[in-house]
Coordinates of all heavy atoms in Angstrom, one line a residue:
M291 N 21.3 -66.9 49.5 CA 22.1 -67.4 50.7 C 23.4 -67.9 50.2 O 23.6 -68.7 49.2 CB 21.3 -68.6 51.3 CG 21.6 -68.8 52.7 SD 20.4 -69.9 53.4 CE 21.5 -70.9 54.5
S292 N 24.5 -67.4 50.9 CA 25.8 -67.7 50.5 C 26.2 -69.0 51.2 O 25.5 -69.8 51.8 CB 26.7 -66.6 50.7 OG 26.6 -66.2 52.1
Q293 N 27.5 -69.1 51.3 CA 28.1 -70.4 52.0 C 27.5 -70.4 53.4 O 27.4 -69.5 54.1 CB 29.6 -70.2 52.0 CG 30.2 -71.0 50.8 CD 31.8 -71.0 50.9 OE1 32.3 -69.9 51.0 NE2 32.4 -72.2 50.9
T294 N 27.4 -71.7 53.9 CA 27.0 -71.9 55.2 C 28.1 -72.4 56.1 O 28.0 -73.3 57.0 CB 25.8 -73.0 55.3 OG1 26.2 -74.1 54.6 CG2 24.6 -72.3 54.7
S295 N 29.3 -72.0 55.8 CA 30.5 -72.4 56.7 C 30.3 -71.7 58.1 O 30.0 -70.6 58.2 CB 31.8 -71.9 56.1 OG 31.8 -70.5 55.9
N296 N 30.5 -72.6 59.1 CA 30.3 -72.2 60.4 C 31.3 -71.1 60.7 O 32.5 -71.3 60.5 CB 30.5 -73.4 61.4 CG 29.3 -74.3 61.4 OD1 28.2 -73.8 60.9 ND2 29.5 -75.5 61.8
P297 N 30.9 -70.0 61.4 CA 31.9 -69.0 61.8 C 32.6 -69.6 62.9 O 32.2 -70.5 63.7 CB 31.1 -67.8 62.2 CG 29.7 -68.4 62.6 CD 29.5 -69.6 61.7
C298 N 33.9 -69.1 63.1 CA 34.8 -69.6 64.2 C 34.1 -69.2 65.5 O 33.6 -68.2 65.8 CB 36.1 -69.0 64.0 SG 37.1 -69.6 62.6
Q299 N 34.3 -70.2 66.3 CA 33.9 -70.0 67.8 C 35.2 -69.5 68.6 O 36.0 -70.3 68.8 CB 33.3 -71.2 68.4 CG 32.0 -71.7 67.7 CD 30.9 -70.8 67.9 OE1 30.7 -70.3 69.1 NE2 30.2 -70.4 66.9
H300 N 35.1 -68.3 69.0 CA 36.2 -67.7 69.7 C 35.9 -67.8 71.2 O 35.0 -67.4 71.7 CB 36.5 -66.3 69.3 CG 37.1 -66.1 67.9 ND1 37.1 -65.0 67.3 CD2 37.6 -67.1 67.1 CE1 37.6 -65.2 66.1 NE2 37.9 -66.5 66.0
M301 N 36.9 -68.6 71.9 CA 36.8 -68.7 73.3 C 37.6 -67.7 74.0 O 38.7 -67.4 73.6 CB 37.3 -70.1 73.7 CG 37.1 -70.4 75.2 SD 37.7 -72.2 75.5 CE 39.4 -71.9 75.4
N302 N 36.9 -67.0 74.9 CA 37.6 -65.9 75.6 C 38.6 -66.4 76.6 O 38.2 -67.2 77.5 CB 36.6 -65.0 76.2 CG 37.2 -63.6 76.7 OD1 38.0 -63.0 75.9 ND2 36.9 -63.2 77.8
L303 N 39.9 -66.1 76.5 CA 40.9 -66.6 77.4 C 41.2 -65.6 78.4 O 41.4 -65.9 79.6 CB 42.2 -66.9 76.6 CG 42.2 -68.0 75.6 CD1 43.6 -68.1 74.9 CD2 41.7 -69.4 76.2
A304 N 41.2 -64.3 78.1 CA 41.5 -63.3 79.2 C 41.1 -62.0 78.6 O 41.1 -61.8 77.3 CB 43.0 -63.3 79.4
S305 N 40.8 -61.0 79.4 CA 40.5 -59.7 78.9 C 40.8 -58.7 80.0 O 40.9 -59.0 81.1 CB 39.0 -59.6 78.6 OG 38.1 -59.8 79.7
S306 N 41.1 -57.5 79.6 CA 41.5 -56.4 80.5 C 41.0 -55.1 79.9 O 40.4 -55.1 78.9 CB 43.0 -56.4 80.8 OG 43.7 -56.0 79.6
S307 N 41.4 -54.1 80.5 CA 41.0 -52.7 80.1 C 41.6 -52.3 78.8 O 41.2 -51.4 78.1 CB 41.3 -51.7 81.2 OG 42.7 -51.7 81.5
I308 N 42.8 -53.0 78.4 CA 43.5 -52.7 77.2 C 43.2 -53.6 76.0 O 43.6 -53.3 74.9 CB 45.0 -52.5 77.4 CG1 45.6 -53.9 77.8 CG2 45.3 -51.5 78.4 CD1 47.0 -54.1 77.5
G309 N 42.6 -54.8 76.3 CA 42.3 -55.6 75.2 C 41.9 -57.0 75.7 O 41.6 -57.2 76.8
D310 N 41.9 -57.9 74.8 CA 41.6 -59.3 75.1 C 42.3 -60.4 74.3 O 42.9 -60.0 73.3 CB 40.1 -59.5 75.1 CG 39.4 -59.2 73.8 OD1 40.1 -59.4 72.8 OD2 38.4 -58.6 73.8
V311 N 42.3 -61.6 74.9 CA 42.9 -62.7 74.1 C 41.8 -63.8 74.0 O 41.1 -64.2 74.9 CB 44.0 -63.3 75.0 CG1 44.7 -64.4 74.2 CG2 45.1 -62.2 75.3
K312 N 41.6 -64.1 72.7 CA 40.6 -65.1 72.4 C 41.3 -66.3 71.7 O 42.3 -66.1 70.9 CB 39.5 -64.6 71.5 CG 38.6 -63.6 72.2 CD 37.4 -63.2 71.4 CE 36.4 -62.3 72.2 NZ 36.9 -60.9 72.2
Y313 N 40.7 -67.5 71.8 CA 41.4 -68.7 71.2 C 40.2 -69.2 70.2 O 39.1 -69.5 70.7 CB 41.7 -69.7 72.3 CG 42.3 -70.9 71.6 CD1 43.5 -70.9 70.9 CD2 41.7 -72.1 71.9 CE1 44.0 -72.0 70.4 CE2 42.2 -73.3 71.4 CZ 43.3 -73.3 70.6 OH 43.9 -74.4 70.0
C314 N 40.7 -69.6 69.0 CA 39.9 -70.3 68.1 C 40.4 -71.7 68.0 O 41.4 -71.9 67.5 CB 39.9 -69.5 66.8 SG 38.8 -70.5 65.5
A315 N 39.6 -72.6 68.5 CA 40.0 -74.0 68.6 C 39.9 -74.6 67.0 O 40.7 -75.5 66.7 CB 39.1 -74.8 69.4
D316 N 39.0 -74.1 66.2 CA 38.9 -74.5 64.9 C 40.1 -74.2 64.0 O 40.6 -75.1 63.3 CB 37.7 -73.9 64.2 CG 36.4 -74.3 64.9 OD1 36.3 -75.3 65.4 OD2 35.5 -73.4 64.9
C317 N 40.7 -73.1 64.2 CA 41.9 -72.6 63.4 C 43.2 -72.9 64.2 O 44.3 -72.8 63.7 CB 41.8 -71.2 63.1 SG 40.3 -70.8 62.4
G318 N 43.1 -73.1 65.6 CA 44.3 -73.2 66.4 C 45.0 -71.9 66.4 O 46.3 -71.8 66.5
I319 N 44.2 -70.8 66.4 CA 44.8 -69.5 66.4 C 44.4 -68.6 67.6 O 43.2 -68.8 68.1 CB 44.3 -68.7 65.1 CG1 44.9 -69.4 63.9 CG2 44.6 -67.3 65.1 CD1 46.3 -69.1 63.6
V320 N 45.3 -67.9 68.2 CA 45.1 -67.0 69.3 C 44.9 -65.6 68.7 O 45.7 -65.1 68.0 CB 46.2 -67.1 70.3 CG1 46.0 -66.1 71.4 CG2 46.4 -68.5 70.9
H321 N 43.7 -65.1 69.1 CA 43.5 -63.6 68.6 C 43.8 -62.7 69.7 O 43.2 -62.8 70.8 CB 42.0 -63.4 68.2 CG 41.6 -64.3 67.1 ND1 41.5 -63.9 65.8 CD2 41.3 -65.7 67.0 CE1 41.1 -64.9 65.0 NE2 41.0 -65.9 65.7
L322 N 44.9 -62.0 69.5 CA 45.3 -61.0 70.5 C 44.9 -59.6 70.1 O 45.3 -59.1 69.0 CB 46.8 -61.1 70.8 CG 47.5 -60.0 71.7 CD1 47.0 -60.1 73.0 CD2 49.0 -60.2 71.5
A323 N 44.2 -58.9 70.9 CA 43.7 -57.6 70.6 C 44.1 -56.6 71.8 O 43.8 -56.8 72.9 CB 42.1 -57.4 70.6
V324 N 45.0 -55.7 71.4 CA 45.4 -54.7 72.4 C 45.2 -53.3 71.8 O 45.8 -52.9 70.7 CB 46.9 -54.8 72.6 CG1 47.4 -53.8 73.6 CG2 47.2 -56.2 73.2
Q325 N 44.3 -52.5 72.4 CA 43.9 -51.3 71.9 C 43.5 -51.4 70.4 O 42.7 -52.1 70.0 CB 45.0 -50.3 72.2 CG 45.2 -50.0 73.7 CD 46.3 -49.1 74.1 OE1 47.3 -48.9 73.3 NE2 46.2 -48.7 75.3
N326 N 44.3 -50.7 69.5 CA 43.8 -50.7 68.1 C 44.7 -51.8 67.4 O 44.6 -51.9 66.1 CB 43.8 -49.4 67.4 CG 45.2 -48.7 67.4 OD1 46.1 -49.3 68.1 ND2 45.5 -47.7 66.8
L327 N 45.4 -52.6 68.1 CA 46.2 -53.6 67.4 C 45.5 -54.9 67.5 O 45.0 -55.3 68.6 CB 47.6 -53.7 68.2 CG 48.6 -54.7 67.8 CD1 49.2 -54.3 66.5 CD2 49.7 -54.8 68.7
S328 N 45.6 -55.6 66.5 CA 45.0 -57.0 66.5 C 45.9 -58.0 65.8 O 46.5 -57.8 64.7 CB 43.7 -57.0 65.6 OG 43.1 -58.2 65.7
L329 N 46.2 -59.1 66.6 CA 47.1 -60.1 66.0 C 46.5 -61.4 66.0 O 45.9 -61.8 67.0 CB 48.5 -60.1 66.9 CG 49.4 -58.9 66.8 CD1 50.5 -59.1 67.9 CD2 50.0 -58.8 65.5
R330 N 46.8 -62.2 65.0 CA 46.4 -63.6 65.0 C 47.6 -64.5 65.0 O 48.6 -64.3 64.2 CB 45.7 -63.9 63.6 CG 44.4 -63.2 63.5 CD 43.7 -63.3 62.2 NE 43.1 -64.7 62.0 CZ 43.5 -65.7 61.3 NH1 44.6 -65.5 60.7 NH2 42.8 -66.8 61.3
L331 N 47.8 -65.2 66.1 CA 49.1 -65.9 66.3 C 48.7 -67.4 66.4 O 47.8 -67.8 67.1 CB 49.7 -65.5 67.6 CG 50.0 -63.9 67.7 CD1 50.2 -63.6 69.2 CD2 51.1 -63.6 66.9
E332 N 49.7 -68.2 65.9 CA 49.6 -69.7 66.2 C 50.0 -69.9 67.6 O 50.7 -69.1 68.2 CB 50.6 -70.4 65.2 CG 50.2 -70.4 63.8 CD 51.1 -71.0 62.8 OE1 52.2 -71.5 63.3 OE2 50.9 -70.9 61.7
T333 N 49.4 -71.0 68.2 CA 49.5 -71.2 69.6 C 51.0 -71.1 70.1 O 51.4 -70.6 71.1 CB 48.9 -72.6 70.0 OG1 49.4 -73.5 69.2 CG2 47.4 -72.4 69.9
E334 N 51.9 -71.7 69.3 CA 53.3 -71.8 69.6 C 53.9 -70.4 69.6 O 54.7 -70.1 70.5 CB 54.1 -72.7 68.8 CG 55.3 -73.4 69.3 CD 55.1 -73.9 70.8 OE1 54.1 -74.6 70.9 OE2 55.9 -73.6 71.6
T335 N 53.6 -69.6 68.6 CA 54.0 -68.2 68.5 C 53.5 -67.5 69.7 O 54.3 -66.7 70.3 CB 53.5 -67.6 67.2 OG1 53.9 -68.4 66.1 CG2 54.1 -66.2 67.1
F336 N 52.3 -67.7 70.1 CA 51.7 -67.0 71.2 C 52.4 -67.3 72.5 O 52.7 -66.5 73.4 CB 50.2 -67.3 71.3 CG 49.5 -66.7 72.5 CD1 49.3 -65.4 72.6 CD2 49.1 -67.5 73.6 CE1 48.7 -64.8 73.7 CE2 48.6 -67.0 74.8 CZ 48.4 -65.6 74.9
R337 N 52.7 -68.6 72.7 CA 53.5 -69.0 73.9 C 54.9 -68.3 73.9 O 55.2 -67.8 75.0 CB 53.7 -70.5 73.9 CG 52.5 -71.3 74.4 CD 52.9 -72.7 74.7 NE 51.7 -73.5 74.9 CZ 51.0 -74.2 74.0 NH1 51.6 -74.2 72.7 NH2 49.9 -74.8 74.3
T338 N 55.6 -68.3 72.8 CA 56.9 -67.7 72.7 C 56.7 -66.2 73.0 O 57.5 -65.7 73.8 CB 57.5 -67.8 71.3 OG1 57.4 -69.3 71.1 CG2 58.9 -67.3 71.3
L339 N 55.7 -65.6 72.5 CA 55.4 -64.1 72.8 C 55.2 -63.9 74.3 O 55.7 -62.9 74.8 CB 54.3 -63.6 71.9 CG 53.9 -62.2 72.1 CD1 54.9 -61.2 71.6 CD2 52.5 -61.9 71.4
T340 N 54.5 -64.8 74.8 CA 54.1 -64.6 76.3 C 55.3 -64.7 77.1 O 55.6 -63.8 78.0 CB 53.1 -65.7 76.7 OG1 52.0 -65.6 75.8 CG2 52.7 -65.5 78.1
Y341 N 56.2 -65.7 76.8 CA 57.5 -65.8 77.5 C 58.3 -64.5 77.3 O 58.9 -64.0 78.2 CB 58.3 -67.1 77.1 CG 57.6 -68.3 77.6 CD1 57.4 -69.4 76.7 CD2 57.2 -68.5 78.9 CE1 56.8 -70.6 77.1 CE2 56.7 -69.7 79.4 CZ 56.4 -70.7 78.5 OH 55.9 -71.9 78.9
M342 N 58.4 -64.1 76.1 CA 59.2 -63.0 75.7 C 58.7 -61.7 76.5 O 59.5 -60.9 77.1 CB 59.2 -62.6 74.2 CG 60.1 -61.5 73.8 SD 60.2 -61.4 72.0 CE 58.6 -60.6 71.7
L343 N 57.4 -61.5 76.6 CA 56.9 -60.4 77.3 C 57.1 -60.5 78.8 O 57.4 -59.5 79.4 CB 55.4 -60.3 77.0 CG 55.0 -59.9 75.6 CD1 53.5 -59.8 75.5 CD2 55.5 -58.6 75.2
A344 N 57.0 -61.7 79.3 CA 57.2 -61.9 80.8 C 58.7 -61.5 81.1 O 59.0 -60.9 82.1 CB 56.9 -63.3 81.1
Q345 N 59.6 -62.0 80.2 CA 61.0 -61.8 80.4 C 61.3 -60.2 80.3 O 62.1 -59.8 81.2 CB 61.8 -62.5 79.3 CG 63.3 -62.5 79.5 CD 63.8 -63.3 80.7 OE1 63.4 -64.5 80.7 NE2 64.4 -62.7 81.6
A346 N 60.7 -59.6 79.4 CA 60.8 -58.2 79.2 C 60.4 -57.5 80.4 O 61.1 -56.5 80.9 CB 60.1 -57.7 78.0
Q347 N 59.3 -57.9 80.9 CA 58.8 -57.2 82.2 C 59.7 -57.3 83.4 O 59.9 -56.4 84.1 CB 57.4 -57.7 82.5 CG 56.6 -56.9 83.5 CD 55.7 -57.7 84.4 OE1 55.6 -58.8 84.3 NE2 55.0 -56.9 85.3
L348 N 60.2 -58.5 83.5 CA 61.1 -58.8 84.6 C 62.3 -57.9 84.5 O 62.8 -57.3 85.4 CB 61.5 -60.3 84.7 CG 60.4 -61.2 85.2 CD1 60.9 -62.8 85.0 CD2 60.1 -61.0 86.7
N349 N 62.9 -58.0 83.3 CA 64.1 -57.2 83.0 C 63.8 -55.6 83.2 O 64.6 -55.0 83.8 CB 64.6 -57.4 81.6 CG 65.2 -58.7 81.5 OD1 65.7 -59.3 82.4 ND2 65.2 -59.2 80.2
M350 N 62.6 -55.2 82.9 CA 62.2 -53.8 83.0 C 62.2 -53.5 84.5 O 62.7 -52.4 84.9 CB 60.9 -53.5 82.4 CG 60.6 -52.0 82.4 SD 59.0 -51.8 81.6 CE 57.9 -52.6 82.7
E351 N 61.6 -54.4 85.3 CA 61.5 -54.2 86.7 C 62.8 -54.2 87.4 O 63.2 -53.4 88.3 CB 60.5 -55.1 87.4 CG 59.1 -54.7 87.1 CD 58.1 -55.8 87.6 OE1 58.6 -56.8 88.2 OE2 56.9 -55.7 87.3
D352 N 63.7 -55.1 87.0 CA 65.1 -55.1 87.4 C 65.8 -53.8 87.2 O 66.4 -53.2 88.0 CB 65.9 -56.2 86.7 CG 65.6 -57.6 87.4 OD1 64.9 -57.7 88.4 OD2 66.2 -58.6 86.9
H353 N 65.6 -53.3 86.0 CA 66.2 -52.1 85.5 C 65.7 -50.9 86.3 O 66.5 -50.0 86.8 CB 66.0 -51.9 84.1 CG 66.6 -50.6 83.5 ND1 67.9 -50.5 83.3 CD2 66.1 -49.4 83.2 CE1 68.2 -49.2 82.9 NE2 67.1 -48.6 82.8
E354 N 64.4 -50.9 86.6 CA 63.8 -49.7 87.3 C 64.3 -49.8 88.7 O 64.6 -48.8 89.3 CB 62.3 -49.8 87.3 CG 61.7 -49.4 86.0 CD 60.2 -49.4 85.8 OE1 59.7 -50.1 86.7 OE2 59.6 -48.9 85.0
H355 N 64.3 -51.0 89.3 CA 64.8 -51.1 90.7 C 66.3 -50.8 90.7 O 66.7 -49.9 91.6 CB 64.7 -52.6 91.1 CG 65.2 -52.9 92.5 ND1 64.6 -52.5 93.6 CD2 66.4 -53.4 92.9 CE1 65.3 -52.8 94.7 NE2 66.5 -53.3 94.3
Y356 N 67.1 -51.1 89.9 CA 68.5 -50.8 89.8 C 68.7 -49.3 89.5 O 69.5 -48.7 90.3 CB 69.2 -51.6 88.6 CG 70.6 -51.3 88.5 CD1 71.5 -51.8 89.4 CD2 71.1 -50.5 87.4 CE1 72.9 -51.6 89.3 CE2 72.5 -50.3 87.3 CZ 73.3 -50.8 88.2 OH 74.7 -50.6 88.1
S357 N 67.9 -48.7 88.7 CA 67.9 -47.3 88.5 C 67.6 -46.5 89.8 O 68.3 -45.6 90.1 CB 67.0 -46.9 87.4 OG 67.3 -47.5 86.2
R358 N 66.6 -46.9 90.5 CA 66.2 -46.3 91.8 C 67.3 -46.4 92.7 O 67.6 -45.4 93.5 CB 64.9 -46.8 92.2 CG 63.9 -45.9 92.7 CD 62.6 -46.5 93.1 NE 62.0 -47.3 92.0 CZ 61.4 -48.4 92.0 NH1 61.6 -49.2 93.1 NH2 61.0 -49.0 90.9
H359 N 67.8 -47.5 92.8 CA 68.9 -47.9 93.8 C 70.1 -46.9 93.4 O 70.7 -46.4 94.3 CB 69.3 -49.2 93.7 CG 70.3 -49.6 94.7 ND1 70.0 -49.8 96.0 CD2 71.7 -50.0 94.6 CE1 71.1 -50.2 96.6 NE2 72.1 -50.3 95.8
Q360 N 70.5 -46.8 92.2 CA 71.6 -46.0 91.7 C 71.3 -44.6 92.0 O 72.1 -43.8 92.5 CB 71.7 -46.2 90.2 CG 72.4 -47.4 89.8 CD 74.0 -47.4 90.1 OE1 74.3 -48.0 91.1 NE2 74.7 -46.7 89.4
Y361 N 70.1 -44.2 91.8 CA 69.7 -42.7 92.1 C 69.9 -42.4 93.6 O 70.4 -41.4 93.9 CB 68.2 -42.5 91.7 CG 67.7 -41.2 91.9 CD1 68.3 -40.1 91.2 CD2 66.7 -40.8 92.8 CE1 67.9 -38.8 91.4 CE2 66.3 -39.6 93.0 CZ 66.8 -38.5 92.3 OH 66.4 -37.2 92.4
Q362 N 69.4 -43.3 94.5 CA 69.6 -43.1 95.9 C 71.1 -43.1 96.2 O 71.5 -42.3 97.1 CB 68.8 -44.2 96.6 CG 67.3 -43.9 96.7 CD 66.6 -45.1 97.2 OE1 67.2 -46.1 97.6 NE2 65.3 -45.0 97.2
A363 N 71.9 -44.0 95.6 CA 73.3 -44.0 95.9 C 74.0 -42.8 95.5 O 74.8 -42.2 96.2 CB 73.9 -45.1 95.2
V364 N 73.5 -42.1 94.4 CA 74.1 -40.9 93.9 C 73.7 -39.8 94.9 O 74.5 -38.9 95.1 CB 73.5 -40.6 92.5 CG1 73.8 -39.1 92.1 CG2 74.0 -41.5 91.5
Q365 N 72.5 -39.8 95.5 CA 72.2 -38.8 96.4 C 72.9 -38.9 97.7 O 73.3 -37.9 98.3 CB 70.6 -38.9 96.8 CG 69.8 -38.2 95.7 CD 68.3 -38.2 96.1 OE1 67.8 -38.9 96.9 NE2 67.7 -37.0 95.7
N366 N 73.1 -40.2 98.2 CA 73.7 -40.4 99.6 C 75.3 -40.3 99.5 O 75.9 -39.7 100.4 CB 73.3 -41.7 100.1 CG 71.8 -41.7 100.3 OD1 71.2 -40.7 100.5 ND2 71.2 -42.9 100.3
V367 N 75.8 -40.9 98.5 CA 77.2 -41.1 98.4 C 77.8 -40.6 97.1 O 77.1 -40.6 96.1 CB 77.6 -42.6 98.6 CG1 79.1 -42.8 98.7 CG2 76.9 -43.3 99.7
K368 N 78.9 -40.0 97.2 CA 79.5 -39.5 96.0 C 79.9 -40.7 95.1 O 80.6 -41.6 95.5 CB 80.7 -38.7 96.2 CG 80.7 -37.3 95.5 CD 82.0 -36.5 95.8 CE 81.8 -35.2 95.2 NZ 83.0 -34.3 95.4
P369 N 79.3 -40.8 93.9 CA 79.5 -42.0 93.1 C 80.9 -42.1 92.5 O 81.6 -41.0 92.3 CB 78.6 -41.9 92.0 CG 78.3 -40.5 91.8 CD 78.5 -39.9 93.2
F370 N 81.6 -43.2 92.5 CA 82.8 -43.4 91.9 C 82.5 -43.7 90.4 O 81.9 -44.7 90.0 CB 83.5 -44.7 92.5 CG 84.7 -45.0 91.8 CD1 85.9 -44.1 91.9 CD2 85.0 -46.1 91.0 CE1 87.1 -44.4 91.3 CE2 86.0 -46.5 90.3 CZ 87.1 -45.6 90.5
I371 N 82.9 -42.8 89.6 CA 82.7 -42.9 88.2 C 83.9 -43.5 87.4 O 85.1 -42.9 87.5 CB 82.3 -41.5 87.5 CG1 81.1 -41.0 88.1 CG2 82.2 -41.7 86.0 CD1 80.8 -39.6 87.9
K372 N 83.7 -44.6 86.8 CA 84.8 -45.4 86.2 C 84.8 -45.0 84.8 O 83.8 -45.2 84.1 CB 84.6 -46.8 86.5 CG 85.7 -47.7 86.0 CD 85.4 -49.2 86.2 CE 86.4 -50.0 85.6 NZ 86.1 -51.4 85.7
K373 N 85.9 -44.4 84.3 CA 85.9 -44.1 82.9 C 86.5 -45.3 82.2 O 87.7 -45.8 82.4 CB 86.8 -42.9 82.7 CG 86.1 -41.7 83.1 CD 86.8 -40.3 82.7 CE 85.8 -39.2 83.0 NZ 86.7 -37.9 82.9
T374 N 85.8 -45.7 81.1 CA 86.2 -46.9 80.4 C 86.9 -46.5 79.2 O 87.6 -47.3 78.4 CB 85.0 -47.8 80.0 OG1 84.0 -47.0 79.5 CG2 84.6 -48.5 81.3
H375 N 86.7 -45.2 78.8 CA 87.4 -44.7 77.5 C 88.3 -43.5 77.8 O 87.9 -42.7 78.6 CB 86.4 -44.4 76.5 CG 85.6 -45.6 75.9 ND1 86.2 -46.6 75.1 CD2 84.4 -46.0 76.2 CE1 85.3 -47.5 75.0 NE2 84.1 -47.2 75.6
Ligands
ZN1379 ZN1 38.9 -69.6 63.5

């Protein structure tokens, strides 16, 4: 019989079709699993990552909306192309 150290108790924080997020209170570590990717993050790093991803998503949606708008504008109106160089 080897060491009797208690295995970490991972609390499930969230899960989806692509992976899940678990928290280990003993280590103060967030386990992020996405497809075949697995990350162990300190809580503060995880928070920063979450904000960063949320920001990225917002920017991506802005960009997609803007692109769609531009595309429609190109179809309806002859675009004024400004040459900067
Ligand atoms: Zn742990």
Side-chain angles (χ1 to χ4, degrees):
M291 202 168 141
S292 57
Q293 267 186 300
T294 53
S295 60
N296 286 340
C298 291
Q299 295 294 314
H300 290 164
M301 186 174 76
N302 196 44
L303 295 181
S305 62
S306 73
S307 58
I308 61 153
D310 55 38
V311 183
K312 291 188 174 79
Y313 178 65
C314 178
D316 298 327
C317 308
I319 290 289
V320 177
H321 298 259
L322 172 65
V324 177
Q325 292 172 345
N326 59 352
L327 178 74
S328 180
L329 288 175
R330 294 174 79 255
L331 303 165
E332 288 175 5
T333 52
E334 205 49 46
T335 306
F336 176 71
R337 279 196 191 92
T338 306
L339 176 69
T340 305
Y341 288 130
M342 185 176 73
L343 293 179
Q345 187 69 59
Q347 195 213 2
L348 287 173
N349 287 336
M350 185 177 70
E351 283 173 1
D352 277 357
H353 179 73
E354 283 178 347
H355 176 78
Y356 181 74
S357 298
R358 220 175 299 133
H359 185 72
Q360 282 290 100
Y361 180 66
Q362 284 170 357
V364 167
Q365 281 193 325
N366 298 334
V367 188
K368 235 181 181 180
F370 174 72
I371 297 165
K372 189 180 173 187
K373 286 192 173 168
T374 48
H375 294 288

